[in-house]
Amino acid sequence: MQVFTKISELRKAIEEKREQGCSIGLVPTMGFLHEGHASLISRARRENDCVVLSIFVNPTQFGPNEDLDRYPRNPEGDLRIAETNGADFVFMPEANEMYPRPAATRISVSGITSLLCGASRPGHFDGVGLIVSKLFHIVKPHRAYFGMKDAQQVAVVSRMVEDLNLDVEIVPCPIVRGEDGLALSSRNVYLSPEQRSQALVLSETLRKAPEWLAEVGGDTERLKARISTRIREMPLADIEYVEILTYPDLEAPSAEVESSWIIALAVRFGSTRLIDNRLLTRDDLAKVIHSIPMQVAKGE
Ligand code: PAF
Protein backbone atom coordinates (compact mmCIF):
# COMPACT_ATOMS: atom_id res chain seq x y z
CA MET A 1 0.00 0.00 0.00
CA GLN A 2 1.31 3.44 -0.91
CA VAL A 3 0.35 6.70 0.78
CA PHE A 4 0.18 9.97 -1.18
CA THR A 5 -0.28 13.54 -0.06
CA LYS A 6 0.31 15.24 -3.43
CA ILE A 7 -2.21 15.20 -6.29
CA SER A 8 0.51 15.05 -8.96
CA GLU A 9 2.15 11.96 -7.43
CA LEU A 10 -1.15 10.14 -6.99
CA ARG A 11 -2.12 10.96 -10.58
CA LYS A 12 1.18 9.55 -11.86
CA ALA A 13 0.79 6.28 -9.94
CA ILE A 14 -2.83 5.84 -11.07
CA GLU A 15 -1.87 6.64 -14.67
CA GLU A 16 0.64 3.78 -14.61
CA LYS A 17 -2.09 1.41 -13.36
CA ARG A 18 -4.47 2.58 -16.05
CA GLU A 19 -1.81 2.04 -18.75
CA GLN A 20 -1.52 -1.57 -17.50
CA GLY A 21 -5.26 -1.94 -18.15
CA CYS A 22 -6.27 -1.88 -14.46
CA SER A 23 -9.78 -0.90 -13.38
CA ILE A 24 -9.77 1.75 -10.65
CA GLY A 25 -12.13 1.81 -7.66
CA LEU A 26 -12.34 4.92 -5.46
CA VAL A 27 -13.55 4.99 -1.86
CA PRO A 28 -13.89 8.64 -0.77
CA THR A 29 -13.90 9.13 3.03
CA MET A 30 -13.21 11.70 5.71
CA GLY A 31 -11.24 9.18 7.78
CA PHE A 32 -11.76 7.88 11.32
CA LEU A 33 -12.55 4.66 9.51
CA HIS A 34 -14.88 2.00 10.92
CA GLU A 35 -16.43 -1.26 9.73
CA GLY A 36 -18.73 0.65 7.38
CA HIS A 37 -15.73 2.12 5.53
CA ALA A 38 -13.99 -1.27 5.69
CA SER A 39 -16.95 -2.81 3.84
CA LEU A 40 -16.61 -0.18 1.08
CA ILE A 41 -12.87 -0.81 0.73
CA SER A 42 -13.24 -4.59 0.62
CA ARG A 43 -16.07 -4.36 -1.93
CA ALA A 44 -13.92 -2.06 -4.07
CA ARG A 45 -11.09 -4.60 -3.66
CA ARG A 46 -13.32 -7.41 -5.00
CA GLU A 47 -14.53 -5.39 -7.97
CA ASN A 48 -11.41 -3.51 -9.15
CA ASP A 49 -7.75 -4.12 -9.93
CA CYS A 50 -6.61 -0.99 -8.09
CA VAL A 51 -8.29 0.48 -5.01
CA VAL A 52 -7.78 4.15 -4.11
CA LEU A 53 -8.94 5.32 -0.68
CA SER A 54 -9.12 9.05 -0.07
CA ILE A 55 -9.05 10.44 3.46
CA PHE A 56 -9.78 14.14 3.61
CA VAL A 57 -11.88 16.10 6.08
CA ASN A 58 -13.36 18.42 3.51
CA PRO A 59 -13.81 21.93 4.96
CA THR A 60 -16.21 23.11 2.24
CA GLN A 61 -18.96 20.71 3.34
CA PHE A 62 -19.01 21.95 6.95
CA GLY A 63 -21.11 24.93 8.00
CA PRO A 64 -19.61 27.68 10.22
CA ASN A 65 -21.10 26.20 13.43
CA GLU A 66 -20.43 22.57 12.61
CA ASP A 67 -17.79 20.14 13.90
CA LEU A 68 -14.95 20.67 11.36
CA ASP A 69 -12.40 21.50 14.08
CA ARG A 70 -13.32 18.62 16.33
CA TYR A 71 -14.11 16.05 13.60
CA PRO A 72 -12.48 12.83 14.90
CA ARG A 73 -9.18 11.83 13.29
CA ASN A 74 -7.00 8.74 13.59
CA PRO A 75 -4.55 8.53 10.66
CA GLU A 76 -2.59 5.54 12.04
CA GLY A 77 -5.74 3.52 12.69
CA ASP A 78 -7.07 4.51 9.25
CA LEU A 79 -3.93 3.24 7.52
CA ARG A 80 -4.23 -0.09 9.36
CA ILE A 81 -7.86 -0.52 8.24
CA ALA A 82 -6.98 0.58 4.71
CA GLU A 83 -4.19 -2.01 4.46
CA THR A 84 -6.17 -4.85 6.07
CA ASN A 85 -9.01 -4.35 3.65
CA GLY A 86 -6.84 -4.18 0.57
CA ALA A 87 -6.42 -0.54 -0.45
CA ASP A 88 -3.54 -0.04 -2.91
CA PHE A 89 -3.25 3.75 -2.72
CA VAL A 90 -4.27 6.03 0.14
CA PHE A 91 -4.62 9.71 -0.67
CA MET A 92 -4.32 11.94 2.43
CA PRO A 93 -3.88 15.51 1.20
CA GLU A 94 -3.58 18.62 3.36
CA ALA A 95 -6.34 21.21 2.92
CA ASN A 96 -4.08 23.54 0.91
CA GLU A 97 -3.32 20.73 -1.56
CA MET A 98 -7.03 20.38 -2.36
CA TYR A 99 -7.84 24.08 -2.02
CA PRO A 100 -4.68 26.16 -2.74
CA ARG A 101 -7.14 29.05 -2.86
CA PRO A 102 -10.87 29.13 -2.19
CA ALA A 103 -12.72 27.46 -5.06
CA ALA A 104 -14.66 29.89 -7.22
CA THR A 105 -16.54 27.04 -8.90
CA ARG A 106 -19.71 25.71 -7.37
CA ILE A 107 -21.18 22.29 -7.97
CA SER A 108 -24.76 22.70 -6.94
CA VAL A 109 -27.37 20.01 -7.50
CA SER A 110 -30.72 21.72 -7.09
CA GLY A 111 -34.02 20.27 -5.88
CA ILE A 112 -32.98 17.17 -3.99
CA THR A 113 -30.55 19.21 -1.87
CA SER A 114 -33.23 21.58 -0.57
CA LEU A 115 -34.69 19.11 1.94
CA LEU A 116 -33.59 16.58 4.58
CA CYS A 117 -29.93 17.27 5.48
CA GLY A 118 -29.71 19.95 2.77
CA ALA A 119 -32.33 22.03 4.59
CA SER A 120 -30.55 21.94 7.94
CA ARG A 121 -27.01 22.11 6.51
CA PRO A 122 -27.09 24.88 3.89
CA GLY A 123 -24.21 24.56 1.41
CA HIS A 124 -23.27 21.09 2.66
CA PHE A 125 -24.06 19.30 -0.58
CA ASP A 126 -22.33 21.99 -2.67
CA GLY A 127 -19.20 21.16 -0.66
CA VAL A 128 -19.73 17.43 -1.18
CA GLY A 129 -20.32 17.93 -4.92
CA LEU A 130 -17.17 20.03 -5.20
CA ILE A 131 -14.85 17.63 -3.39
CA VAL A 132 -16.30 14.51 -5.00
CA SER A 133 -15.98 15.97 -8.48
CA LYS A 134 -12.40 17.08 -7.72
CA LEU A 135 -11.61 13.52 -6.55
CA PHE A 136 -13.26 12.08 -9.67
CA HIS A 137 -11.11 14.35 -11.86
CA ILE A 138 -7.93 13.46 -9.97
CA VAL A 139 -8.48 9.69 -9.71
CA LYS A 140 -10.67 9.10 -12.80
CA PRO A 141 -12.14 5.98 -11.19
CA HIS A 142 -14.22 3.41 -13.06
CA ARG A 143 -16.30 2.92 -9.91
CA ALA A 144 -16.82 4.93 -6.72
CA TYR A 145 -18.20 3.47 -3.50
CA PHE A 146 -20.55 5.30 -1.12
CA GLY A 147 -22.40 4.08 1.99
CA MET A 148 -26.18 4.27 2.00
CA LYS A 149 -26.27 5.70 5.51
CA ASP A 150 -25.77 8.95 3.63
CA ALA A 151 -28.54 8.08 1.17
CA GLN A 152 -29.15 11.71 0.21
CA GLN A 153 -25.45 12.08 -0.58
CA VAL A 154 -25.66 9.01 -2.84
CA ALA A 155 -28.68 10.54 -4.61
CA VAL A 156 -26.90 13.89 -5.03
CA VAL A 157 -23.63 12.38 -6.32
CA SER A 158 -25.54 10.07 -8.69
CA ARG A 159 -27.51 13.02 -10.04
CA MET A 160 -24.32 15.04 -10.53
CA VAL A 161 -22.75 12.11 -12.43
CA GLU A 162 -25.85 11.77 -14.59
CA ASP A 163 -26.19 15.49 -15.32
CA LEU A 164 -22.49 15.97 -16.12
CA ASN A 165 -22.09 12.67 -18.02
CA LEU A 166 -19.20 11.72 -15.76
CA ASP A 167 -17.74 8.37 -16.74
CA VAL A 168 -17.91 6.68 -13.33
CA GLU A 169 -20.24 4.08 -11.88
CA ILE A 170 -21.61 5.02 -8.46
CA VAL A 171 -21.85 1.91 -6.27
CA PRO A 172 -24.21 2.39 -3.30
CA CYS A 173 -23.29 0.04 -0.44
CA PRO A 174 -25.50 -1.19 2.43
CA ILE A 175 -25.53 0.50 5.84
CA VAL A 176 -23.32 -1.33 8.33
CA ARG A 177 -24.69 -1.51 11.89
CA GLY A 178 -23.18 -2.33 15.26
CA GLU A 179 -24.41 -5.44 17.06
CA ASP A 180 -26.92 -3.25 18.89
CA GLY A 181 -28.31 -1.94 15.59
CA LEU A 182 -26.81 1.59 15.65
CA ALA A 183 -25.69 2.60 12.14
CA LEU A 184 -21.91 2.98 12.19
CA SER A 185 -20.73 6.58 11.93
CA SER A 186 -17.48 8.34 12.79
CA ARG A 187 -19.59 10.72 14.89
CA ASN A 188 -20.82 7.91 17.20
CA VAL A 189 -17.68 8.48 19.32
CA TYR A 190 -19.21 11.75 20.52
CA LEU A 191 -22.12 9.89 22.20
CA SER A 192 -22.20 9.29 25.96
CA PRO A 193 -23.22 5.74 26.96
CA GLU A 194 -26.71 7.01 27.82
CA GLN A 195 -27.09 8.89 24.53
CA ARG A 196 -25.88 5.83 22.65
CA SER A 197 -28.38 3.56 24.34
CA GLN A 198 -31.24 5.99 23.61
CA ALA A 199 -30.02 6.39 20.01
CA LEU A 200 -30.92 2.75 19.39
CA VAL A 201 -34.47 4.01 18.95
CA LEU A 202 -33.50 5.05 15.41
CA SER A 203 -32.76 1.56 14.15
CA GLU A 204 -35.62 0.17 16.23
CA THR A 205 -38.23 2.40 14.55
CA LEU A 206 -36.76 1.72 11.10
CA ARG A 207 -36.90 -2.03 11.77
CA LYS A 208 -40.55 -1.80 12.74
CA ALA A 209 -41.50 0.66 9.99
CA PRO A 210 -42.81 -1.87 7.41
CA GLU A 211 -45.08 -3.46 10.02
CA TRP A 212 -46.28 -0.04 11.21
CA LEU A 213 -46.84 1.09 7.60
CA ALA A 214 -49.13 -1.90 7.06
CA GLU A 215 -50.98 -1.09 10.30
CA VAL A 216 -51.67 2.50 9.17
CA GLY A 217 -52.80 1.33 5.72
CA GLY A 218 -49.89 2.95 3.89
CA ASP A 219 -50.59 6.42 5.32
CA THR A 220 -47.14 8.04 5.40
CA GLU A 221 -48.21 10.94 7.66
CA ARG A 222 -49.45 8.48 10.29
CA LEU A 223 -46.28 6.43 9.99
CA LYS A 224 -44.14 9.57 10.45
CA ALA A 225 -46.21 10.50 13.53
CA ARG A 226 -45.80 7.03 15.00
CA ILE A 227 -42.03 7.03 14.45
CA SER A 228 -41.73 10.55 15.92
CA THR A 229 -43.79 9.63 18.98
CA ARG A 230 -41.58 6.62 19.68
CA ILE A 231 -38.37 8.67 19.24
CA ARG A 232 -39.71 11.40 21.55
CA GLU A 233 -40.09 8.82 24.31
CA MET A 234 -36.29 9.09 24.57
CA PRO A 235 -35.65 12.16 26.76
CA LEU A 236 -32.27 12.89 25.15
CA ALA A 237 -33.57 12.75 21.56
CA ASP A 238 -34.24 15.97 19.66
CA ILE A 239 -35.79 15.26 16.25
CA GLU A 240 -34.57 17.29 13.28
CA TYR A 241 -36.63 15.39 10.72
CA VAL A 242 -38.59 12.22 10.18
CA GLU A 243 -39.39 12.02 6.48
CA ILE A 244 -40.80 9.54 4.00
CA LEU A 245 -40.00 10.32 0.37
CA THR A 246 -39.48 8.57 -2.94
CA TYR A 247 -35.91 7.50 -3.59
CA PRO A 248 -33.73 8.67 -5.29
CA ASP A 249 -35.84 11.65 -6.45
CA LEU A 250 -36.85 12.64 -2.90
CA GLU A 251 -40.41 13.58 -3.78
CA ALA A 252 -43.58 13.19 -1.77
CA PRO A 253 -44.82 9.61 -2.27
CA SER A 254 -48.00 9.29 -4.30
CA ALA A 255 -50.66 6.61 -4.12
CA GLU A 256 -49.27 5.01 -7.24
CA VAL A 257 -46.05 3.53 -5.95
CA GLU A 258 -43.60 3.84 -8.82
CA SER A 259 -40.26 3.83 -7.07
CA SER A 260 -38.63 2.95 -3.78
CA TRP A 261 -39.42 4.98 -0.69
CA ILE A 262 -36.92 6.14 1.87
CA ILE A 263 -37.72 6.60 5.54
CA ALA A 264 -35.07 9.11 6.63
CA LEU A 265 -34.31 10.24 10.18
CA ALA A 266 -32.07 12.95 11.62
CA VAL A 267 -32.03 13.19 15.39
CA ARG A 268 -29.74 15.05 17.77
CA PHE A 269 -28.51 13.54 21.00
CA GLY A 270 -26.87 16.45 22.81
CA SER A 271 -24.64 18.11 20.22
CA THR A 272 -24.34 14.92 18.14
CA ARG A 273 -26.49 14.73 15.06
CA LEU A 274 -27.24 11.20 13.90
CA ILE A 275 -28.85 10.16 10.63
CA ASP A 276 -30.27 6.81 9.64
CA ASN A 277 -32.64 5.52 6.99
CA ARG A 278 -34.38 2.54 5.51
CA LEU A 279 -35.21 1.98 1.86
CA LEU A 280 -38.44 0.22 0.96
CA THR A 281 -38.44 -1.10 -2.59
CA ARG A 282 -41.62 -1.36 -4.66
CA ASP A 283 -41.70 -5.06 -3.78
CA ASP A 284 -41.35 -4.31 -0.04
CA LEU A 285 -44.15 -1.76 -0.36
CA ALA A 286 -46.37 -4.18 -2.29
CA LYS A 287 -46.10 -6.64 0.61
CA VAL A 288 -47.23 -4.15 3.24
CA ILE A 289 -49.56 -1.72 1.51
CA HIS A 290 -52.37 -3.72 0.00
CA SER A 291 -54.73 -0.80 -0.31
CA ILE A 292 -52.45 1.26 -2.56
CA PRO A 293 -52.60 0.15 -6.20
CA MET A 294 -49.08 -0.70 -7.38
CA GLN A 295 -48.64 0.77 -10.83
CA VAL A 296 -47.24 -1.85 -13.16
CA ALA A 297 -44.24 -0.40 -14.95
CA LYS A 298 -44.25 -0.56 -18.75
CA GLY A 299 -43.05 -3.86 -20.09
CA GLU A 300 -43.57 -5.76 -16.82
O1 PAF B 1 -19.35 10.71 3.16
C1 PAF B 1 -18.27 11.31 3.39
O2 PAF B 1 -17.45 10.87 4.19
C2 PAF B 1 -17.98 12.62 2.68
O3 PAF B 1 -19.14 13.36 2.50
C3 PAF B 1 -17.24 12.42 1.34
C4 PAF B 1 -18.08 11.67 0.33
C5 PAF B 1 -15.95 11.67 1.58
C6 PAF B 1 -16.90 13.78 0.74
O4 PAF B 1 -16.08 14.51 1.60
Side-chain angles (χ1 to χ4, degrees), residues 28-30 37 56 58 61 71 124 128 131-132 146 150 153:
T29 78
M30 298 207 299
H37 299 110
F56 178 62
N58 172 39
Q61 69 188 76
Y71 194 82
H124 168 69
V128 170
I131 193 65
V132 170
F146 293 87
D150 298 301
Q153 171 169 276

Side-chain angles (χ1 to χ4, degrees), residues 27-31 37 40 54-62 71 99 121 124-125 127-132 135 145-147 149-150 153 157 186-187:
V27 181
T29 78
M30 298 207 299
H37 299 110
L40 305 182
S54 66
I55 298 177
F56 178 62
V57 182
N58 172 39
T60 64
Q61 69 188 76
F62 287 79
Y71 194 82
Y99 298 108
R121 304 185 68 189
H124 168 69
F125 287 114
V128 170
L130 182 62
I131 193 65
V132 170
L135 290 168
Y145 295 79
F146 293 87
K149 189 175 74 64
D150 298 301
Q153 171 169 276
V157 170
S186 304
R187 290 187 169 102

Side-chain angles (χ1 to χ4, degrees), residues 19 74 80 137 151 190 254 272 298:
E19 278 164 12
N74 180 10
R80 268 196 305 278
H137 284 97
Y190 298 147
S254 70
T272 307
K298 285 192 190 78

Side-chain angles (χ1 to χ4, degrees), residues 13-158:
I14 294 175
E15 203 42 53
E16 280 169 20
K17 291 285 182 188
R18 209 175 283 103
E19 278 164 12
Q20 294 160 17
C22 293
S23 59
I24 315 290
L26 170 66
V27 181
T29 78
M30 298 207 299
F32 208 71
L33 303 183
H34 50 62
E35 282 301 310
H37 299 110
S39 75
L40 305 182
I41 304 168
S42 53
R43 171 129 182 224
R45 175 72 286 155
R46 290 196 298 279
E47 297 179 356
N48 300 276
D49 302 313
C50 174
V51 175
V52 182
L53 169 75
S54 66
I55 298 177
F56 178 62
V57 182
N58 172 39
T60 64
Q61 69 188 76
F62 287 79
N65 299 318
E66 293 185 352
D67 57 347
L68 173 62
D69 294 336
R70 63 179 193 120
Y71 194 82
R73 294 164 207 247
N74 180 10
E76 293 83 23
D78 288 351
L79 290 177
R80 268 196 305 278
I81 292 179
E83 185 139 46
T84 317
N85 289 279
D88 296 299
F89 298 157
V90 180
F91 180 46
M92 303 172 90
E94 293 292 335
N96 62 4
E97 180 71 6
M98 294 308 284
Y99 298 108
R101 57 180 174 155
T105 303
R106 277 182 62 195
I107 304 283
S108 197
V109 176
S110 62
I112 57 171
T113 57
S114 63
L115 65 185
L116 302 180
C117 296
S120 47
R121 304 185 68 189
H124 168 69
F125 287 114
D126 289 2
V128 170
L130 182 62
I131 193 65
V132 170
S133 54
K134 281 163 82 77
L135 290 168
F136 285 176
H137 284 97
I138 293 166
V139 176
K140 301 194 193 82
H142 296 87
R143 299 181 192 87
Y145 295 79
F146 293 87
M148 276 299 285
K149 189 175 74 64
D150 298 301
Q152 188 176 15
Q153 171 169 276
V154 174
V156 169
V157 170
S158 303

Side-chain angles (χ1 to χ4, degrees), residues 10 37 65 80 85 128 151 176 205 214 225 227 233-234 244 258:
L10 176 73
H37 299 110
N65 299 318
R80 268 196 305 278
N85 289 279
V128 170
V176 178
T205 54
I227 293 173
E233 284 169 15
M234 299 297 147
I244 303 176
E258 290 173 328

